[in-house]
């Protein structure tokens, strides 16, 4: 069960009706648990949704302005590489060292880590993927794309 909660003066509440229902069920479960009962619990702070959408706009900008990274999937792979968001591993077939990109999904990266990744991504895009852009132009274009999406 997952839920996004919001801290209010009256305590925690769900951010949507479904989240609130899930939180209410969880809270009831905690209150009725018998002593000695095990419970696995994970938590995280959700990322800023607009910031994530800005990355998606960046991927669209790259795909529209590159023949090499012409899809969002290819653009994301390239962005992860230029941002240094990868692990090195040995290819068992060739013995060569390869870069294996890491995940940026909501579960594996909190907002603070995402902000560092995003800054490295913008720097990498400007210096390596779309060198014709400067940071201000890129930011303006990303905001225009977001506005076109109704964000």
């Amino acid at each position: 069960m997952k839920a996004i909660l919001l801290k209010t003066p009256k305590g925690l509440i769900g951010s949507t009706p479904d989240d609130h229902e899930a939180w209410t069920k969880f809270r009831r479960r905690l209150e009725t648990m018998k002593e000695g009962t095990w419970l696995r619990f994970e938590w995280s702070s959700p990322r800023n949704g607009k910031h994530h959408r800005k990355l998606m706009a960046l991927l669209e900008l790259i795909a529209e302005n590159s023949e090499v990274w012409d899809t969002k999937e290819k653009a994301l792979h390239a962005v992860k590489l230029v941002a240094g968001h990868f692990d090195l591993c040995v290819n068992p077939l060739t013995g060569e060292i390869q870069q294996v990109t890491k995940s940026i999904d909501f579960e594996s990266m909190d907002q603070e880590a995402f902000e560092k990744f995003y800054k490295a991504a913008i720097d990498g895009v400007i210096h390596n993927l779309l060198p014709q852009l400067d940071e201000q132009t890129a930011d303006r274009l990303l905001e225009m794309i977001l506005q076109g999406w109704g964000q």
Side-chain angles (χ1 to χ4, degrees), residues 9-145:
K10 295 182 179 182
L12 292 173
I13 62 170
S15 64
T16 67
D18 287 342
D19 286 343
H20 192 69
E21 182 180 340
W23 167 239
T24 301
K25 285 180 183 178
F26 180 70
R27 197 174 60 229
R28 240 184 276 126
R29 171 90 166 115
L30 288 175
E31 292 167 356
T32 60
M33 280 177 63
K34 293 186 178 9
E35 191 172 314
T37 302
W38 290 80
L39 177 69
R40 180 175 167 225
F41 180 77
E42 293 182 34
W43 71 275
S44 66
S45 296
R47 286 202 314 240
N48 178 318
K50 183 175 181 188
H51 203 181
H52 184 78
R53 289 188 297 278
K54 213 170 173 183
L55 175 66
M56 296 302 111
L58 178 64
L59 300 178
E60 185 170 305
L61 181 67
I62 294 166
E64 290 175 356
N65 291 283
S66 172
E67 293 178 14
V68 177
W69 306 287
D70 57 349
T71 66
K72 287 184 183 179
E73 292 78 18
K74 290 177 187 176
L76 177 57
H77 186 71
V79 166
K80 288 177 180 181
L81 291 172
V82 298
H85 195 66
F86 58 83
D87 288 321
L88 296 176
C89 75
V90 176
N91 181 325
L93 300 175
T94 65
E96 296 176 343
I97 295 177
Q98 300 180 199
Q99 298 153 328
V100 178
T101 57
K102 299 180 200 177
S103 176
I104 61 163
D105 70 12
F106 284 91
E107 299 296 321
S108 64
M109 183 180 275
D110 65 10
Q111 181 61 30
E112 185 178 335
F114 186 77
E115 286 173 11
K116 289 177 186 173
F117 167 76
Y118 185 81
K119 175 68 175 135
I122 290 292
D123 291 344
V125 167
I126 291 169
H127 292 103
N128 299 290
L129 303 181
L130 299 176
Q132 68 273 26
L133 289 180
D134 58 63
E135 192 167 348
Q136 291 78 21
T137 303
D139 199 48
R140 193 173 68 252
L141 290 171
L142 296 177
E143 288 298 329
M144 288 171 55
I145 292 170

